[in-house]
Structure formats: structure tokens, C-alpha cells
Amino acid sequence: MTTLESPVRSVMLETDRGRFAARQAGTGEPVVLVGGYLGSKEDFAPLLPVLAEAGYATWAVDHHGQHESPGSDDPSAYTLSAMAQDLLAVIGEVGEGEPVHVVAHCAGAAVAHAAVVASPRAVRSFAPLGSLLSGSEKETAFLTWCADAVAAEGAAGLRGLIEHWAREQPERLDLMTTRLSTTRTGHLIGFARLLCGPRAGVGELAGSGVPLLFVHGMDDEFTGSHEEYQRLAHRFGRNAVGITGAGHCVQLDRPQETAEALIGFWRAVSADLRPVPAAGGR
């Protein structure tokens, strides 16, 4: 694994599933940050230094074919199973055989969900951001439109959407435009289509034994209400964390509050894993 000489650095991870572009910061317990559809590792830039300062080795990665990670132009290469195995290869590389904390935003949570179900021992904890795990009719309609637009016009078919989003965040227009042009069209079509199909079951996730924390923005109008998050979280014996003043990209809108929720969760998970002292021991 690469030894870093600066607080945050770009690296290319070499795995048995190929090469994956990443941004890395910090040392300590390993954390993998997984982006969503039309996202990238840069969506976690505000979190990296905060988590590093708290004592975590944090890796934000691009999926196969996303932004700076090499990938196929064939949409059929992007299946849920294949992308989950990609993530598990990344986890194996950065964790060096030990389980890691996984944080995944929006559509990336579907990939992480499948990875947890496939190999729960590889994951110390799982925190979906802005995701109720099962796609809604609204999400499916949006993703179907995206896949069809790219199939018809290439990445240019989504340019209007990117420009629309950038009206509220003009400082991110350059990044969003660049990664739209660098992401493989096969990824843009295949990832969207797989998200419209069957996903790993929530029951399977509950049976994995992996600790979960749902975090979302209270102003997120894309995925669901706080009550919906709470109902889902209660299935796992937990409460969802709703971040005030944040929308769908909670890690960008309120990075400090998001980091605090994650760090508190991880510390509780680590405390639960400590061995219980023997009776009368000193």
C-alpha cells in the first residue's frame, strides 16, 4: 500500500480487479468512501481531512469506468455483482486483509450493499448516505432517462442535466463537466440500468451482522423523508441521522456534521468489538 507524504494525495490502486483511482488521507482504521451515479471520489473532498484528523485512513475511490478509473465501454460489463466485486477488491487492498468501514453515497450504496451481503467479514461497518437502499419509482424513472439519453447521444445527452445542477453550485460546474467527459459511456449506461434492476435484499443485509448507520440530509427531496429513513433504520435496531441544512449530497452540504455522525458511529462499533475483561481481572 502506498505511503503518503502529504495530507491528501491522488493514488492509483492496483487490484486483481484492475486499477482504481483514489484520493487518500490519514492513517489508522481504514475507511472506503464510495461515490454514486454521476459522482466521483471528489464528492468526498470535504470529508477526507476531517476523517484523517480523527485518526482514520480514508480512501475515496472512483468506480470502474468512472472519471479517472479505467473501465469498459461495454454497458454489460457493469453488473451489480461485478461492481460489488470491484469494491471488495479495493477493500482488500486498502484493508490489507482486515475489515474496513464503508461509506457510500446514493447509488454507490447499492454497490456497497451487494458487497456487504457477498462478503460481510470484509466490512467493519456500513453507512449509506442519502440512500434508502431500494430504488424508488422516481429514482428508476430518472436513471432510465439517463441511460436512454447517453445511449442516444453519448455523454452529451446529460450535459443539460449537469448544467441545471450547477446553477445551484456553480463552483462545481468544471468538475461535473470534466467527469462527465472522462467517465466511460459504458459506465453511464450500464450503472444506470443495473440500478433499475434487482438489488440485494434488505433482509440479507440485516442478516449479515454488519453494523449500519443511515445518514441523510433533512432537505433531501430525491430519496425520501426522515420518517422513511427512521422506519428503515429501526429494522436494524438503530436511528437514522438527519443532518439539518443538507440536501441529497449531505457530505458536501454539511461535511463537518456528517463526519461527526460517522466518527461517533465508528467509535461505538470499535468499542463493541473490544474484548470483555475477565471477571476479577486487573
Side-chain angles (χ1 to χ4, degrees):
M1 192 160 55
T2 306
T3 299
L4 301 179
E5 300 175 357
S6 59
V8 179
R9 178 172 154 182
S10 297
V11 296
M12 188 67 75
L13 293 169
E14 304 283 349
T15 80
D16 60 6
R17 297 281 302 178
R19 304 167 72 232
F20 296 89
R23 295 276 285 170
Q24 201 277 343
T27 59
E29 284 188 64
V31 176
V32 174
L33 307 174
V34 185
Y37 182 67
L38 299 182
S40 68
K41 60 189 178 302
E42 286 75 15
D43 289 340
F44 297 101
L47 282 184
L48 285 169
V50 183
L51 299 181
E53 181 67 23
Y56 294 92
T58 308
W59 303 78
V61 297
D62 287 338
H63 295 281
H64 170 215
Q66 183 182 61
H67 193 26
E68 295 178 328
S69 286
S72 174
D73 282 322
D74 181 0
S76 68
Y78 301 89
T79 66
L80 190 56
S81 174
M83 293 187 73
Q85 290 303 313
D86 289 345
L87 177 56
L88 289 170
V90 168
I91 286 171
E93 177 66 19
V94 305
E96 298 181 329
E98 295 297 319
V100 311
H101 299 291
V102 175
V103 179
H105 180 241
C106 192
V111 175
H113 180 178
V116 172
V117 170
S119 187
R121 291 187 179 182
V123 181
R124 190 176 299 279
S125 73
F126 175 31
L129 305 182
S131 172
L132 287 166
L133 298 180
S134 58
S136 66
E137 290 185 8
K138 181 178 180 180
E139 288 177 281
T140 299
F142 169 73
L143 291 163
T144 299
W145 178 86
C146 288
D148 290 347
V150 177
E153 302 179 50
L158 299 182
R159 189 157 296 145
L161 174 67
I162 295 301
E163 291 173 352
H164 172 73
W165 284 348
R167 288 173 192 161
E168 295 184 2
Q169 297 177 309
E171 72 282 1
R172 291 180 58 77
L173 177 60
D174 287 346
L175 168 62
M176 290 192 288
T177 301
T178 297
R179 71 185 175 195
L180 181 63
S181 65
T182 54
T183 296
R184 297 288 190 177
T185 56
H187 173 99
L188 293 171
I189 298 170
F191 193 10
R193 287 180 175 166
L194 79 83
L195 292 165
C196 296
R199 302 191 187 187
V202 172
E204 295 174 278
L205 186 59
S208 72
V210 174
L212 257 78
L213 179 71
F214 291 90
V215 182
H216 72 101
M218 293 296 284
D219 299 330
D220 183 358
E221 298 179 352
F222 185 66
T223 54
S225 67
H226 184 59
E227 290 71 26
E228 290 175 279
Y229 277 96
Q230 285 286 45
R231 284 195 293 271
L232 180 57
H234 287 169
R235 294 184 61 177
F236 298 89
R238 300 194 61 88
N239 289 318
V241 176
I243 305 294
T244 301
H248 183 55
C249 294
V250 62
Q251 74 277 21
L252 289 171
D253 295 341
R254 290 291 185 269
Q256 186 66 41
E257 293 87 342
T258 302
E260 289 171 359
L262 293 170
I263 292 165
F265 170 55
W266 295 333
R267 288 176 177 168
V269 168
S270 296
D272 288 343
L273 293 174
R274 289 175 190 156
V276 177
R282 301 200 179 268

